């Protein structure tokens, strides 16, 4: 069956450093991946997405990397700020339905 | 553009009671979803609507959960009767039919005692 998101449950990063959050998936037919950020008491917020015909996509301070060979997805956040503290989820979109990973809680150390 | 609205934001009930949640999607978004998010986990899809029709309710526990979107805009999700394991955040999301990005509301946090 389809599954997404073996995440490390927590990640602590010094403010100003780069953060890398990783996600593994098992369904080789996956063709669209999304990263969401969820702050406490809020719903998930779209960050960036990538299709399976790409291996890298950049946004503002964020980069998503896709390695289809090892079925691995990562989110890189440059110059991490206190406002980046949240739980980050990878998700796979199959047939207009999202399957979410388990999430990584990112904590910023001042 | 206003985001997805949900109410109430919090609800505490006793087991075996009934509860209903309301969602108003972003204007023009034909597709609407309800997700259940248990503490410490990612959201799990319960039901998907396209306009006022159900596209997928395969993960909805139909013995106790029901949802409707009668006029193709607002939607309600009902639990009757509630169980302790229904304690979770219930998230509503919407998107345009021709696009892929789903936008989430703030959720309703349900506690069943």
């Amino acid at each position: 069956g389809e599954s997404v998101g073996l995440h490390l449950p927590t990640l602590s990063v010094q403010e100003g450093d780069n953060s890398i959050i990783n996600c593994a998936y098992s369904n080789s037919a996956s063709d669209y991946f999304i990263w969401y950020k969820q702050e406490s008491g809020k719903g998930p917020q779209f960050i960036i997405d990538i299709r399976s015909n790409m291996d890298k996509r950049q946004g503002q301070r964020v980069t998503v990397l896709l390695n289809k060979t090892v079925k691995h997805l990562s989110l890189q956040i440059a110059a991490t700020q206190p406002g980046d503290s949240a739980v980050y989820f990878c998700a796979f979109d199959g047939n207009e339905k999202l399957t979410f990973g388990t999430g990584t809680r990112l904590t910023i150390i001042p | 553009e206003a985001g997805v609205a949900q109410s109430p934001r919090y609800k505490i009930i006793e087991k075996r009671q009934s509860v209903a949640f309301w969602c108003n999607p972003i204007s023009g978004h034909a597709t609407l979803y309800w997700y259940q998010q248990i503490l410490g986990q990612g959201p799990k899809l319960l039901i998907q609507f396209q306009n006022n029709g159900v596209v997928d309710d395969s993960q909805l526990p139909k013995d106790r959960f029901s949802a409707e979107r009668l006029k193709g805009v607002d939607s309600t999700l009902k639990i009757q009767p509630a169980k302790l394991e229904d304690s979770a955040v219930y998230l509503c999301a919407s998107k345009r039919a021709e696009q892929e990005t789903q936008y989430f509301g703030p959720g309703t946090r349900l506690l069943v005692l």
Side-chain angles (χ1 to χ4, degrees):
Chain A
E2 302 169 348
S3 69
V4 175
L6 294 178
H7 286 257
L8 283 179
T10 61
L11 177 66
S12 294
V13 174
Q14 202 80 34
E15 183 177 350
D17 286 354
N18 296 335
S19 302
I20 300 176
I21 301 171
N22 296 303
C23 176
Y25 63 96
S26 63
N27 186 351
S28 59
S30 307
D31 62 357
Y32 181 57
F33 301 87
I34 312 103
W35 281 100
Y36 280 90
K37 171 185 180 183
Q38 188 172 27
E39 296 174 275
S40 182
K42 297 183 179 180
Q45 176 189 0
F46 173 89
I47 302 175
I48 192 168
D49 57 3
I50 189 168
R51 296 197 172 280
S52 59
N53 61 352
M54 304 171 70
D55 53 19
K56 180 179 181 179
R57 190 163 187 228
Q58 288 185 290
Q60 187 176 16
R61 274 203 314 121
V62 294
T63 302
V64 56
L65 299 176
L66 176 62
N67 185 329
K68 294 179 286 295
T69 303
V70 295
K71 299 182 184 175
H72 184 268
L73 190 70
S74 68
L75 176 71
Q76 300 179 1
I77 304 173
T80 310
Q81 302 169 358
D84 295 327
S85 292
V87 178
Y88 290 81
F89 292 97
C90 64
F92 149 67
D93 189 318
N95 213 18
E96 295 193 345
K97 299 172 193 31
L98 290 178
T99 300
F100 282 81
T102 52
T104 293
R105 179 174 297 279
L106 177 64
T107 301
I108 312 306
I109 304 168
Chain B
E1 182 179 65
V4 176
Q6 291 188 247
S7 67
R9 292 297 314 278
Y10 304 93
K11 191 74 177 177
I12 301 174
I13 62 172
E14 295 187 349
K15 59 183 180 183
R16 290 188 290 274
Q17 286 187 324
S18 301
V19 64
F21 312 127
W22 174 82
C23 172
N24 178 236
I26 294 172
S27 178
H29 284 198
T31 311
L32 183 147
Y33 305 82
W34 283 101
Y35 290 84
Q36 180 193 59
Q37 186 175 23
I38 293 172
L39 186 64
Q41 299 182 17
K44 187 187 82 169
L45 179 68
L46 292 174
I47 189 168
Q48 176 188 356
F49 290 94
Q50 180 79 12
N51 297 308
N52 61 350
V54 174
V55 174
D56 184 356
D57 64 357
S58 59
Q59 300 300 308
L60 189 73
K62 298 181 189 63
D63 58 335
R64 297 183 302 105
F65 286 65
S66 64
E68 59 183 15
R69 194 185 183 200
L70 293 176
K71 295 183 180 180
V73 180
D74 293 3
S75 177
T76 55
L77 176 69
K78 296 178 182 177
I79 308 175
Q80 180 180 4
K83 293 186 175 181
L84 296 177
E85 58 261 36
D86 297 333
S87 294
V89 175
Y90 290 85
L91 294 161
C92 180
S94 70
K95 74 174 189 72
R96 292 190 181 278
E98 68 277 12
Q99 296 180 345
E100 289 166 311
T101 303
Q102 294 185 27
Y103 296 89
F104 284 80
T108 296
R109 189 174 300 272
L110 174 68
L111 180 60
V112 182
L113 302 176

